[in-house]
Amino acid sequence: MKLPFLRRSQSLLPEGRHFAVTWGLTDDFGGMTEAMFHRSRAFVRLAGTPVDILTFDQRPDYPALEERLRSRGDLVDGMHLVNLYDWLRANPLPGGSLDLDRYPFTPLPTVDDGTERRRGEAVLSRERRDDAGQVLQVDVYRTDGTLLLSDRRDTKELGTKGGRSVVLCDDHGRPVRTWGRIWSLYRAWFDAITAGAPAWMIVDSKTTAPFVLSYRKRNVVTAHVVHASHLQGTERPHGRLRESRRAVFEALDDFDLVALLSERQLADVRTMLGDHASLAVIPNSRDLVDKHVAQAARPRHRGMFLGSLTARKRPANAIRAVLAATPAVGTPPTLDVYGGGELLGELQAILSAEDPEHRIVLHGYDRSAREQLGSGSFLVMTSTSEGFPLVLVEAMAAGCLPIVVDVPYGPADIVTDGRNGFLVPSAEPAVVAAAIERLLALPDHEVDAMRRHARSTAEQYDDEAVTRRWAQELRAADRRKKRKALVPRVG
């Protein structure tokens, strides 16, 4: 998929405050969150546009996390983490109403009951749960110990989840605003941080997308990036919508822009749900390694697997494919597996039983794993579904030839079988093993040509090209939003 040429002046993003919206952050993030950080860094570096990353979770160590992210280069100057509760600790939330008759205010006792989240010595929150472990109430505190917010979720019957009362307190712990839904607090926060000025919100998290979908303001353009398949299973285009995607895909036009990562997914969405002006294709981007890396010498037999060790990634299939590959001549293939996840124990058992020659190495999670791609001959991807896998572009840029399963979505938009990699119809180990054997049997000049073609493909997804696409699509979304605002409502 080639991105259209845009004049360099069009790479400047529209004026206003720019936000990247997600639910929360983990220390070992990858995939969607990594793409969000990378896009935000590109906005800062190429367009000079600051980006605030908004989060909604109650992680207590955001200041320390921000420091770590800066030290390893995930956050750069011009980017900041802004957490809902940390923002509320430092800023008043003006306006609103107080109705304690309708929304009861019943703060938890300030005693150490084992449910506290702390930042140093300061208690930031306490919880009350039922016998099944469901959260019935969360009280949030400022660092000086005053009550910031009481969020009760059993207002209909004490001890049984049902009904909600969200009470915001001033810096003395006195109630000042009440709501019956947590989304109402989120909207008030968005109103406060945008302050009526032009703003651009790109939401990556599918958890947060249904809320942002409901936030409609004339001054705010909202965009959602769909990072994976919208379908349950591999049947396409008329498959079954994933429940986690239903809210968005049944109301596509409530976002000003819905960015899909591949042309195939766009075509399938249009076939299934009709055309929508909000739909666009904006792939993830990467800053690419030096082009000479793609032609660097490397052992032909060295394979790579980079991804979480989860059922969706099917690492066992990749491992068994490498173990099953039996080249006619030369060294049998090996596989370096980088990633962590719940299948680690299962994979260790497979290696104990099936890999007596120790051809497979489990390295665990390693943020620097991508630096190894330039020394790898091939990358194995056996996922059940993909969006637009960043590691695929990175591997191709480094001349590490992809061996990927043709699943929704992404790989088939990038990989042409036999030209810049290998596209296989199934993740069955024997099928993937056959592709590995094809690679090992090719003459050197054909492999060199494939590595050059892989690099050429990756160059279509560099940061500048994709940032220009974002600039174009955000402006188009803004124009559509303004036109809609001019159309009188009927009835």
Side-chain angles (χ1 to χ4, degrees), residues 1 17 29 46 57 158 192 203 217 300 325 327 334 340 354 361 368 402 419 471:
M1 175 184 62
R17 292 193 64 186
F29 62 74
L46 297 174
D57 64 340
L158 183 64
V203 56
K217 298 287 181 176
R300 179 80 71 87
T334 63
E354 303 177 28
V361 179
S368 64
R419 177 175 173 80

Side-chain angles (χ1 to χ4, degrees), residues 103-281:
Y103 305 112
F105 179 54
T106 56
L108 298 173
T110 54
V111 296
D112 186 346
D113 60 1
T115 68
E116 295 87 358
R117 289 191 179 95
R118 294 176 179 267
R119 180 178 299 164
E121 295 299 317
V123 174
L124 297 189
S125 69
R126 290 187 174 90
E127 294 180 350
R128 176 170 58 87
R129 295 173 178 262
D130 64 14
D131 293 339
Q134 287 194 106
V135 176
L136 299 180
Q137 184 167 337
V138 179
D139 281 4
V140 181
Y141 306 93
R142 296 179 177 84
T143 54
D144 65 1
T146 56
L147 183 61
L148 169 67
L149 184 87
S150 184
D151 177 9
R152 183 175 159 186
R153 307 168 192 186
D154 60 343
T155 60
K156 293 183 178 179
E157 180 182 350
L158 183 64
T160 301
K161 196 166 185 177
R164 197 148 189 176
S165 172
V166 182
V167 182
L168 181 70
C169 299
D170 65 15
D171 55 10
H172 297 288
R174 298 174 301 208
V176 289
R177 292 188 69 170
T178 50
W179 300 275
R181 296 189 69 199
I182 197 68
W183 282 14
S184 300
L185 169 63
Y186 298 166
R187 291 190 188 98
W189 181 42
F190 275 16
D191 288 348
I193 60 179
T194 57
W200 312 81
M201 291 189 170
I202 303 176
V203 56
D204 291 83
S205 162
K206 65 183 178 183
T207 302
T208 313
F211 158 66
V212 182
L213 181 79
S214 73
Y215 186 74
R216 307 295 296 162
K217 298 287 181 176
R218 289 194 175 191
N219 61 300
V220 181
V221 171
T222 58
H224 177 39
V225 184
V226 180
H227 283 275
S229 175
H230 58 288
L231 299 174
Q232 185 71 43
T234 59
E235 182 184 347
R236 46 176 293 268
H238 293 290
R240 183 161 56 92
L241 278 174
R242 291 178 185 267
E243 285 305 313
S244 60
R245 300 288 184 186
R246 186 173 298 279
V248 169
F249 279 83
E250 290 184 346
L252 285 169
D253 291 325
D254 285 350
F255 272 113
D256 301 308
L257 171 63
V258 177
L260 304 172
L261 301 182
S262 74
E263 295 287 353
R264 276 206 308 174
Q265 189 169 20
L266 175 63
D268 284 359
V269 171
R270 284 174 170 164
T271 299
M272 183 178 185
L273 301 172
D275 197 11
H276 293 264
S278 60
L279 293 170
V281 174

